[in-house]
Amino acid sequence: IWTDGSSPKFLVFDPNGHELSPLLTPLPESTPVTADELSAWRDGRRDMMMNYDPVWWQKFGRVVEDYRESLHPHPVVSGLSYTAGGHVLVAGPGSADDARIHYWLLHESGELMIDANLPVRRLRLTEHFAMGLLSDEEGATVVYVVRHAGDEQKALAQLAEQ
């Protein structure tokens, strides 16, 4: 399965690389980057590099000031994994402002089984465990492992309640 991260339509290939029918999902369409977001991005890059290496910024980095539109829309997908139950787990991109990540569990047909906002990054579902990364109250990354009874949909619902 392949996606460019901005389309709810996933491309599917067999093990020999031949393209099969696409997987049509109910994921949202990507949204364009606004002028305000691009301006904030430019300001952030300038401030970061002026603090780190002002000579480099003056010589090379100022090209960022010329960016007036984004080359790509906001991504919808940041990760895909195939679960032990034969489903597709899709991770949204997350943000610096929100510790929670949007996940969608899809049937192999593309039908939505459950969607959930979870405080876990890099979530993976095995036959009996849900595993991912969390940040504790001090900002340290910890591995999060929860045993589940084999029902991936129920496991995600339980994680969302925490």
Side-chain angles (χ1 to χ4, degrees):
I1 295 176
W2 183 87
T3 176
D4 65 359
S6 64
S7 171
K9 180 173 113 176
F10 297 172
L11 300 181
V12 180
F13 299 89
D14 70 14
N16 295 318
H18 299 108
E19 190 170 345
L20 305 173
S21 297
L23 185 66
L24 304 176
T25 74
L27 273 61
E29 292 282 344
S30 59
T31 58
V33 174
T34 67
D36 288 344
E37 291 168 328
L38 189 59
S39 178
W41 175 82
R42 281 193 313 266
D43 292 347
R45 292 298 172 271
R46 181 188 59 244
D47 294 348
M48 176 184 63
M49 288 312 299
M50 286 297 286
N51 288 329
Y52 180 70
D53 190 346
V55 173
W56 183 91
W57 174 261
Q58 294 299 330
K59 195 170 190 178
F60 303 109
R62 294 178 57 95
V63 68
V64 169
E65 298 289 347
D66 295 333
Y67 293 173
R68 294 292 169 236
E69 64 181 79
S70 176
L71 298 176
H72 305 284
H74 287 289
V76 174
V77 176
S78 70
L80 292 172
S81 62
Y82 192 65
T83 71
H87 305 117
V88 179
L89 181 64
V90 181
S95 76
D97 301 331
D98 188 358
R100 300 179 81 78
I101 306 287
H102 199 114
Y103 289 93
W104 296 271
L105 185 64
L106 304 175
H107 186 270
E108 63 184 18
S109 67
E111 177 184 337
L112 178 65
M113 297 172 66
I114 186 171
D115 67 309
N117 283 310
L118 306 175
V120 180
R121 298 183 315 279
R122 301 186 60 112
L123 178 67
R124 297 297 180 262
L125 297 173
T126 69
E127 186 175 357
H128 298 290
F129 295 97
M131 299 178 283
L133 302 176
L134 281 172
S135 294
D136 68 12
E137 49 283 338
E138 295 178 5
T141 299
V142 294
V143 177
Y144 181 77
V145 180
V146 176
R147 185 169 179 81
H148 67 80
D151 184 334
E152 296 170 346
Q153 188 171 354
K154 191 181 288 185
L156 279 182
Q158 289 171 341
L159 287 172
E161 292 173 0
Q162 296 183 9

mmCIF file of all heavy atoms in Angstrom, residues 87-120:
data_model
loop_
_atom_site.group_PDB
_atom_site.id
_atom_site.type_symbol
_atom_site.label_atom_id
_atom_site.label_comp_id
_atom_site.label_asym_id
_atom_site.label_seq_id
_atom_site.Cartn_x
_atom_site.Cartn_y
_atom_site.Cartn_z
ATOM 1 N N HIS A 87 -5.725 -5.597 8.960
ATOM 2 C CA HIS A 87 -6.285 -4.268 8.739
ATOM 3 C C HIS A 87 -5.177 -3.268 8.440
ATOM 4 O O HIS A 87 -3.998 -3.569 8.608
ATOM 5 C CB HIS A 87 -7.085 -3.828 9.973
ATOM 6 C CG HIS A 87 -8.142 -4.811 10.345
ATOM 7 N ND1 HIS A 87 -8.134 -5.478 11.537
ATOM 8 C CD2 HIS A 87 -9.227 -5.260 9.671
ATOM 9 C CE1 HIS A 87 -9.173 -6.305 11.596
ATOM 10 N NE2 HIS A 87 -9.848 -6.188 10.467
ATOM 11 N N VAL A 88 -5.570 -2.079 8.022
ATOM 12 C CA VAL A 88 -4.611 -1.008 7.754
ATOM 13 C C VAL A 88 -4.775 0.042 8.847
ATOM 14 O O VAL A 88 -5.865 0.576 9.051
ATOM 15 C CB VAL A 88 -4.854 -0.382 6.360
ATOM 16 C CG1 VAL A 88 -3.867 0.748 6.110
ATOM 17 C CG2 VAL A 88 -4.755 -1.442 5.268
ATOM 18 N N LEU A 89 -3.686 0.311 9.552
ATOM 19 C CA LEU A 89 -3.676 1.357 10.574
ATOM 20 C C LEU A 89 -3.021 2.582 9.968
ATOM 21 O O LEU A 89 -1.873 2.535 9.529
ATOM 22 C CB LEU A 89 -2.910 0.903 11.817
ATOM 23 C CG LEU A 89 -2.860 1.896 12.967
ATOM 24 C CD1 LEU A 89 -4.252 2.165 13.531
ATOM 25 C CD2 LEU A 89 -1.930 1.401 14.060
ATOM 26 N N VAL A 90 -3.763 3.684 9.921
ATOM 27 C CA VAL A 90 -3.291 4.928 9.318
ATOM 28 C C VAL A 90 -3.085 5.951 10.433
ATOM 29 O O VAL A 90 -3.971 6.148 11.262
ATOM 30 C CB VAL A 90 -4.314 5.477 8.295
ATOM 31 C CG1 VAL A 90 -3.807 6.758 7.665
ATOM 32 C CG2 VAL A 90 -4.644 4.426 7.244
ATOM 33 N N ALA A 91 -1.932 6.587 10.434
ATOM 34 C CA ALA A 91 -1.632 7.632 11.409
ATOM 35 C C ALA A 91 -1.682 8.988 10.724
ATOM 36 O O ALA A 91 -1.140 9.161 9.634
ATOM 37 C CB ALA A 91 -0.249 7.417 12.008
ATOM 38 N N GLY A 92 -2.339 9.938 11.374
ATOM 39 C CA GLY A 92 -2.330 11.316 10.902
ATOM 40 C C GLY A 92 -1.013 11.973 11.278
ATOM 41 O O GLY A 92 -0.195 11.402 12.002
ATOM 42 N N PRO A 93 -0.775 13.193 10.817
ATOM 43 C CA PRO A 93 0.526 13.830 11.021
ATOM 44 C C PRO A 93 0.790 14.353 12.426
ATOM 45 O O PRO A 93 1.935 14.556 12.786
ATOM 46 C CB PRO A 93 0.515 14.978 10.011
ATOM 47 C CG PRO A 93 -0.914 15.284 9.809
ATOM 48 C CD PRO A 93 -1.645 13.985 9.955
ATOM 49 N N GLY A 94 -0.231 14.621 13.218
ATOM 50 C CA GLY A 94 0.010 15.229 14.521
ATOM 51 C C GLY A 94 0.472 16.668 14.358
ATOM 52 O O GLY A 94 0.594 17.179 13.253
ATOM 53 N N SER A 95 0.731 17.310 15.468
ATOM 54 C CA SER A 95 1.209 18.691 15.424
ATOM 55 C C SER A 95 1.987 19.002 16.687
ATOM 56 O O SER A 95 1.874 18.297 17.690
ATOM 57 C CB SER A 95 0.038 19.673 15.277
ATOM 58 O OG SER A 95 -0.636 19.819 16.503
ATOM 59 N N ALA A 96 2.761 20.054 16.632
ATOM 60 C CA ALA A 96 3.533 20.475 17.801
ATOM 61 C C ALA A 96 2.616 21.003 18.899
ATOM 62 O O ALA A 96 2.983 21.003 20.066
ATOM 63 C CB ALA A 96 4.542 21.539 17.396
ATOM 64 N N ASP A 97 1.408 21.457 18.521
ATOM 65 C CA ASP A 97 0.487 22.040 19.487
ATOM 66 C C ASP A 97 -0.376 21.006 20.198
ATOM 67 O O ASP A 97 -1.004 21.306 21.204
ATOM 68 C CB ASP A 97 -0.451 23.037 18.786
ATOM 69 C CG ASP A 97 0.323 24.158 18.117
ATOM 70 O OD1 ASP A 97 1.417 24.500 18.598
ATOM 71 O OD2 ASP A 97 -0.181 24.673 17.110
ATOM 72 N N ASP A 98 -0.438 19.789 19.670
ATOM 73 C CA ASP A 98 -1.325 18.769 20.215
ATOM 74 C C ASP A 98 -0.557 17.470 20.343
ATOM 75 O O ASP A 98 0.003 16.968 19.369
ATOM 76 C CB ASP A 98 -2.533 18.588 19.286
ATOM 77 C CG ASP A 98 -3.605 17.687 19.879
ATOM 78 O OD1 ASP A 98 -3.412 17.170 20.995
ATOM 79 O OD2 ASP A 98 -4.628 17.492 19.209
ATOM 80 N N ALA A 99 -0.542 16.915 21.539
ATOM 81 C CA ALA A 99 0.200 15.674 21.782
ATOM 82 C C ALA A 99 -0.527 14.454 21.230
ATOM 83 O O ALA A 99 0.027 13.368 21.201
ATOM 84 C CB ALA A 99 0.434 15.505 23.280
ATOM 85 N N ARG A 100 -1.769 14.626 20.809
ATOM 86 C CA ARG A 100 -2.546 13.482 20.331
ATOM 87 C C ARG A 100 -2.412 13.326 18.818
ATOM 88 O O ARG A 100 -2.275 14.297 18.097
ATOM 89 C CB ARG A 100 -3.997 13.639 20.746
ATOM 90 C CG ARG A 100 -4.139 13.714 22.279
ATOM 91 C CD ARG A 100 -5.553 13.891 22.740
ATOM 92 N NE ARG A 100 -6.311 12.667 22.780
ATOM 93 C CZ ARG A 100 -6.227 11.750 23.734
ATOM 94 N NH1 ARG A 100 -5.379 11.909 24.715
ATOM 95 N NH2 ARG A 100 -6.981 10.671 23.697
ATOM 96 N N ILE A 101 -2.445 12.088 18.370
ATOM 97 C CA ILE A 101 -2.353 11.743 16.952
ATOM 98 C C ILE A 101 -3.674 11.110 16.545
ATOM 99 O O ILE A 101 -4.237 10.303 17.277
ATOM 100 C CB ILE A 101 -1.209 10.728 16.699
ATOM 101 C CG1 ILE A 101 0.118 11.218 17.255
ATOM 102 C CG2 ILE A 101 -1.118 10.366 15.219
ATOM 103 C CD1 ILE A 101 0.766 12.317 16.499
ATOM 104 N N HIS A 102 -4.153 11.459 15.359
ATOM 105 C CA HIS A 102 -5.385 10.857 14.838
ATOM 106 C C HIS A 102 -5.014 9.553 14.133
ATOM 107 O O HIS A 102 -4.121 9.530 13.290
ATOM 108 C CB HIS A 102 -6.081 11.805 13.868
ATOM 109 C CG HIS A 102 -7.513 11.481 13.660
ATOM 110 N ND1 HIS A 102 -8.525 12.314 14.056
ATOM 111 C CD2 HIS A 102 -8.123 10.393 13.142
ATOM 112 C CE1 HIS A 102 -9.680 11.759 13.779
ATOM 113 N NE2 HIS A 102 -9.450 10.579 13.213
ATOM 114 N N TYR A 103 -5.705 8.480 14.508
ATOM 115 C CA TYR A 103 -5.515 7.171 13.876
ATOM 116 C C TYR A 103 -6.834 6.706 13.288
ATOM 117 O O TYR A 103 -7.900 6.951 13.857
ATOM 118 C CB TYR A 103 -5.033 6.126 14.897
ATOM 119 C CG TYR A 103 -3.621 6.341 15.351
ATOM 120 C CD1 TYR A 103 -3.344 7.076 16.501
ATOM 121 C CD2 TYR A 103 -2.555 5.815 14.637
ATOM 122 C CE1 TYR A 103 -2.050 7.281 16.915
ATOM 123 C CE2 TYR A 103 -1.247 6.018 15.050
ATOM 124 C CZ TYR A 103 -1.005 6.749 16.191
ATOM 125 O OH TYR A 103 0.288 6.959 16.598
ATOM 126 N N TRP A 104 -6.730 6.012 12.153
ATOM 127 C CA TRP A 104 -7.877 5.374 11.522
ATOM 128 C C TRP A 104 -7.535 3.896 11.345
ATOM 129 O O TRP A 104 -6.464 3.565 10.815
ATOM 130 C CB TRP A 104 -8.150 5.966 10.148
ATOM 131 C CG TRP A 104 -8.548 7.402 10.118
ATOM 132 C CD1 TRP A 104 -9.817 7.903 10.199
ATOM 133 C CD2 TRP A 104 -7.699 8.538 9.966
ATOM 134 N NE1 TRP A 104 -9.792 9.269 10.110
ATOM 135 C CE2 TRP A 104 -8.501 9.687 9.966
ATOM 136 C CE3 TRP A 104 -6.316 8.688 9.829
ATOM 137 C CZ2 TRP A 104 -7.987 10.959 9.836
ATOM 138 C CZ3 TRP A 104 -5.793 9.956 9.708
ATOM 139 C CH2 TRP A 104 -6.624 11.080 9.713
ATOM 140 N N LEU A 105 -8.421 3.017 11.765
ATOM 141 C CA LEU A 105 -8.263 1.591 11.509
ATOM 142 C C LEU A 105 -9.211 1.245 10.378
ATOM 143 O O LEU A 105 -10.424 1.450 10.489
ATOM 144 C CB LEU A 105 -8.578 0.762 12.760
ATOM 145 C CG LEU A 105 -8.334 -0.739 12.633
ATOM 146 C CD1 LEU A 105 -6.846 -1.034 12.395
ATOM 147 C CD2 LEU A 105 -8.826 -1.463 13.882
ATOM 148 N N LEU A 106 -8.648 0.761 9.271
ATOM 149 C CA LEU A 106 -9.431 0.488 8.077
ATOM 150 C C LEU A 106 -9.481 -1.008 7.800
ATOM 151 O O LEU A 106 -8.475 -1.715 7.950
ATOM 152 C CB LEU A 106 -8.809 1.180 6.862
ATOM 153 C CG LEU A 106 -8.600 2.689 6.951
ATOM 154 C CD1 LEU A 106 -7.865 3.183 5.713
ATOM 155 C CD2 LEU A 106 -9.916 3.408 7.124
ATOM 156 N N HIS A 107 -10.644 -1.462 7.375
ATOM 157 C CA HIS A 107 -10.791 -2.829 6.878
ATOM 158 C C HIS A 107 -10.010 -2.913 5.572
ATOM 159 O O HIS A 107 -9.749 -1.887 4.926
ATOM 160 C CB HIS A 107 -12.280 -3.122 6.657
ATOM 161 C CG HIS A 107 -12.560 -4.530 6.288
ATOM 162 N ND1 HIS A 107 -12.580 -4.955 4.980
ATOM 163 C CD2 HIS A 107 -12.826 -5.618 7.052
ATOM 164 C CE1 HIS A 107 -12.854 -6.235 4.945
ATOM 165 N NE2 HIS A 107 -12.997 -6.670 6.193
ATOM 166 N N GLU A 108 -9.640 -4.096 5.141
ATOM 167 C CA GLU A 108 -8.879 -4.230 3.886
ATOM 168 C C GLU A 108 -9.637 -3.698 2.676
ATOM 169 O O GLU A 108 -9.043 -3.377 1.648
ATOM 170 C CB GLU A 108 -8.458 -5.679 3.655
ATOM 171 C CG GLU A 108 -9.619 -6.627 3.495
ATOM 172 C CD GLU A 108 -9.190 -8.079 3.373
ATOM 173 O OE1 GLU A 108 -8.050 -8.409 3.737
ATOM 174 O OE2 GLU A 108 -10.012 -8.874 2.910
ATOM 175 N N SER A 109 -10.961 -3.515 2.813
ATOM 176 C CA SER A 109 -11.771 -2.926 1.735
ATOM 177 C C SER A 109 -11.698 -1.399 1.725
ATOM 178 O O SER A 109 -12.191 -0.760 0.807
ATOM 179 C CB SER A 109 -13.230 -3.354 1.895
ATOM 180 O OG SER A 109 -13.778 -2.772 3.078
ATOM 181 N N GLY A 110 -11.102 -0.813 2.773
ATOM 182 C CA GLY A 110 -11.029 0.634 2.905
ATOM 183 C C GLY A 110 -12.084 1.195 3.837
ATOM 184 O O GLY A 110 -12.063 2.375 4.166
ATOM 185 N N GLU A 111 -13.016 0.355 4.271
ATOM 186 C CA GLU A 111 -14.087 0.795 5.176
ATOM 187 C C GLU A 111 -13.511 1.154 6.544
ATOM 188 O O GLU A 111 -12.658 0.451 7.087
ATOM 189 C CB GLU A 111 -15.110 -0.333 5.323
ATOM 190 C CG GLU A 111 -16.232 -0.033 6.286
ATOM 191 C CD GLU A 111 -17.161 -1.240 6.466
ATOM 192 O OE1 GLU A 111 -17.212 -2.095 5.571
ATOM 193 O OE2 GLU A 111 -17.809 -1.300 7.517
ATOM 194 N N LEU A 112 -13.977 2.271 7.091
ATOM 195 C CA LEU A 112 -13.526 2.723 8.399
ATOM 196 C C LEU A 112 -14.094 1.830 9.487
ATOM 197 O O LEU A 112 -15.314 1.628 9.569
ATOM 198 C CB LEU A 112 -13.969 4.177 8.637
ATOM 199 C CG LEU A 112 -13.615 4.773 9.994
ATOM 200 C CD1 LEU A 112 -12.104 4.880 10.153
ATOM 201 C CD2 LEU A 112 -14.280 6.124 10.159
ATOM 202 N N MET A 113 -13.231 1.296 10.323
ATOM 203 C CA MET A 113 -13.662 0.492 11.459
ATOM 204 C C MET A 113 -13.774 1.363 12.713
ATOM 205 O O MET A 113 -14.718 1.250 13.464
ATOM 206 C CB MET A 113 -12.693 -0.659 11.681
ATOM 207 C CG MET A 113 -12.639 -1.621 10.496
ATOM 208 S SD MET A 113 -11.337 -2.845 10.652
ATOM 209 C CE MET A 113 -11.918 -3.783 12.063
ATOM 210 N N ILE A 114 -12.767 2.211 12.917
ATOM 211 C CA ILE A 114 -12.769 3.142 14.056
ATOM 212 C C ILE A 114 -11.743 4.225 13.780
ATOM 213 O O ILE A 114 -10.738 3.989 13.112
ATOM 214 C CB ILE A 114 -12.443 2.412 15.392
ATOM 215 C CG1 ILE A 114 -12.603 3.369 16.591
ATOM 216 C CG2 ILE A 114 -11.074 1.781 15.355
ATOM 217 C CD1 ILE A 114 -12.504 2.682 17.946
ATOM 218 N N ASP A 115 -12.024 5.422 14.274
ATOM 219 C CA ASP A 115 -11.005 6.459 14.278
ATOM 220 C C ASP A 115 -10.883 6.973 15.691
ATOM 221 O O ASP A 115 -11.859 7.004 16.445
ATOM 222 C CB ASP A 115 -11.293 7.572 13.268
ATOM 223 C CG ASP A 115 -12.513 8.387 13.599
ATOM 224 O OD1 ASP A 115 -13.576 7.803 13.830
ATOM 225 O OD2 ASP A 115 -12.384 9.616 13.624
ATOM 226 N N ALA A 116 -9.668 7.329 16.075
ATOM 227 C CA ALA A 116 -9.422 7.722 17.457
ATOM 228 C C ALA A 116 -8.256 8.698 17.522
ATOM 229 O O ALA A 116 -7.300 8.585 16.747
ATOM 230 C CB ALA A 116 -9.100 6.482 18.300
ATOM 231 N N ASN A 117 -8.341 9.643 18.448
ATOM 232 C CA ASN A 117 -7.237 10.551 18.752
ATOM 233 C C ASN A 117 -6.540 10.014 19.989
ATOM 234 O O ASN A 117 -7.150 9.933 21.059
ATOM 235 C CB ASN A 117 -7.753 11.967 19.017
ATOM 236 C CG ASN A 117 -8.113 12.677 17.747
ATOM 237 O OD1 ASN A 117 -7.321 12.703 16.821
ATOM 238 N ND2 ASN A 117 -9.303 13.235 17.683
ATOM 239 N N LEU A 118 -5.276 9.654 19.838
ATOM 240 C CA LEU A 118 -4.546 9.004 20.920
ATOM 241 C C LEU A 118 -3.276 9.772 21.266
ATOM 242 O O LEU A 118 -2.673 10.394 20.391
ATOM 243 C CB LEU A 118 -4.164 7.577 20.498
ATOM 244 C CG LEU A 118 -5.301 6.679 20.026
ATOM 245 C CD1 LEU A 118 -4.754 5.356 19.528
ATOM 246 C CD2 LEU A 118 -6.301 6.462 21.141
ATOM 247 N N PRO A 119 -2.837 9.692 22.523
ATOM 248 C CA PRO A 119 -1.599 10.371 22.919
ATOM 249 C C PRO A 119 -0.350 9.554 22.586
ATOM 250 O O PRO A 119 0.720 9.817 23.097
ATOM 251 C CB PRO A 119 -1.773 10.511 24.432
ATOM 252 C CG PRO A 119 -2.581 9.320 24.810
ATOM 253 C CD PRO A 119 -3.533 9.094 23.663
ATOM 254 N N VAL A 120 -0.489 8.566 21.727
ATOM 255 C CA VAL A 120 0.584 7.631 21.404
ATOM 256 C C VAL A 120 1.126 7.918 20.007
ATOM 257 O O VAL A 120 0.352 8.054 19.062
ATOM 258 C CB VAL A 120 0.059 6.177 21.461
ATOM 259 C CG1 VAL A 120 1.152 5.187 21.144
ATOM 260 C CG2 VAL A 120 -0.556 5.884 22.816
#
